[in-house]
Amino acid sequence: LWRSSSVTPSVDGKVGKESIRSYWRTMAKQEYKPTLEAVQAQRDELGLSDWGYYVYLRDLGDQLYQKNGQPAGSNAATLWTWFMMMKSGYAVRVGYRSDNIFLLLPVDSQIYNRPQMYLNDQRYYLMVEGGGGSLRTYERQHEEASQVLRLDQKILPNLEGSTKQRSASFSYDGERYTVEFSYDTAVLAYLQAFPNVELSVLFQAGASPAAQSSLTESLRPHIEDRSPREALTFLLRFVQFATEYKRDRENFGEERFLFPEESLAVSASDCEDRAVLFAYLVRTLLDRAVVGLEWPSHIATAVRAGEGLEAASEDRTLTVDGDTYIMADPTYIGSSLGMEMPLIENKEPDIIQFARN
């Protein structure tokens, strides 16, 4: 996209407001608009979210400066990303400490394991892992840059990856079933690079066309002629056995919430990942409203009654905005709709609500 080294200026002098201002002025004098238009066209073609667009620019900046012999994440590459994000309308800021420059992203949702700070009542996340420390910020802002980054992943980007398959075997109502499904490796890599975000983002996330079509093809024939209760219990059973149960720290070495596509690719997951996958299946295959349920030590779901689904006397139910919801726990192995784990029996959860579509 960029054909001359003159459009990748260096950071001159000591890191601070003067060198940052100088970098901005140098970039602003360059012919950056053709590149900006090209990356925005690519963003639209790929269907990138705000976060995906940031990652695209960050990686492109790294590539450009690596050609000049600088490492990924260099100060100059960070400022290049900042400049392009600002010119794209995002209220991104930069901060500096010692000889390092850091990007500060305004984000609409919570990100875990990243330092945060508030500037003019807007929450910003520092794009480094772990703890923070004192940081000076560059105060000047482009007046037209006011957008925050939305982490919504209802529709995933159109990436070119290979398709891989897995299967899950389980018993239901005296019969044995094997369900095959697929996931997209490029979409998987994109999601694995996503920050660890709050569960409401994952509960409304989509999946790749390959994953969605495979799940529809494999699961719909088994649920379309069943009653709503039976169909939901069948999906519960599938999710209960699609992966082995394993806590995040044992599985990944850290807490990590998985998107539906990621749960299709891994061999082990825990309660929140299963709840997210089950909610996705309920939304997409049955078009039913579902909420997340959160206790201090457990995550499950509940499905709204009605439209042929009535709560039985033995069901664990909850009332959400005046509607009755029936407990569905994808981690409680062998459980059916309405059953609850002894671990959370009679304990009231926090409700995680999210957009249905």
Side-chain angles (χ1 to χ4, degrees), residues 45-171:
E45 181 179 343
L46 295 175
L48 295 174
S49 65
D50 291 342
W51 178 264
Y53 183 59
Y54 153 67
V55 172
Y56 184 90
L57 283 174
R58 181 197 66 191
D59 292 350
L60 179 57
D62 281 343
Q63 292 171 25
L64 291 170
Y65 278 93
Q66 282 174 326
K67 291 181 179 179
N68 295 342
Q70 298 194 36
S74 66
N75 287 337
T78 298
L79 289 179
W80 189 91
T81 304
W82 168 62
F83 180 91
M84 298 298 277
M85 288 289 287
M86 288 270 281
K87 289 296 184 179
S88 298
Y90 295 97
V92 177
R93 288 181 178 269
V94 288
Y96 54 96
R97 181 170 57 225
S98 300
D99 295 326
N100 297 308
I101 297 174
F102 304 97
L103 208 60
L104 295 161
L105 297 185
V107 178
D108 71 341
S109 303
Q110 184 173 0
I111 297 178
Y112 301 108
N113 303 324
R114 296 286 173 91
Q116 62 175 296
M117 62 190 302
Y118 283 83
L119 298 171
N120 299 326
D121 297 324
Q122 171 61 52
R123 178 172 56 187
Y124 284 80
Y125 283 95
L126 180 61
M127 289 296 101
V128 296
E129 298 283 353
S134 61
L135 187 76
R136 295 185 177 183
T137 58
Y138 182 69
E139 296 299 329
R140 297 188 64 178
Q141 283 290 92
H142 187 19
E143 60 184 12
E144 296 179 1
S146 60
Q147 293 176 241
V148 301
L149 277 73
R150 298 180 66 244
L151 297 184
D152 172 31
Q153 295 295 310
K154 294 186 184 73
I155 300 175
L156 295 180
N158 305 313
L159 303 176
E160 295 182 3
S162 60
T163 299
K164 291 191 175 182
Q165 287 76 38
R166 288 188 61 240
S167 65
S169 297
F170 57 94
S171 296

Side-chain angles (χ1 to χ4, degrees), residues 16 40 56 65 69 74 77 98 108 110 117 128 131 159 167 169 195 198 208 226 238 252 274 297 306 324 347 350 356:
Q40 289 177 337
Y56 184 90
Y65 278 93
S74 66
S98 300
D108 71 341
Q110 184 173 0
M117 62 190 302
V128 296
L159 303 176
S167 65
S169 297
E198 58 188 293
S208 69
R226 298 183 188 274
F238 165 70
F252 305 112
R274 295 179 177 202
S297 57
T324 298
K347 296 178 181 178
D350 291 329
R356 183 170 175 175

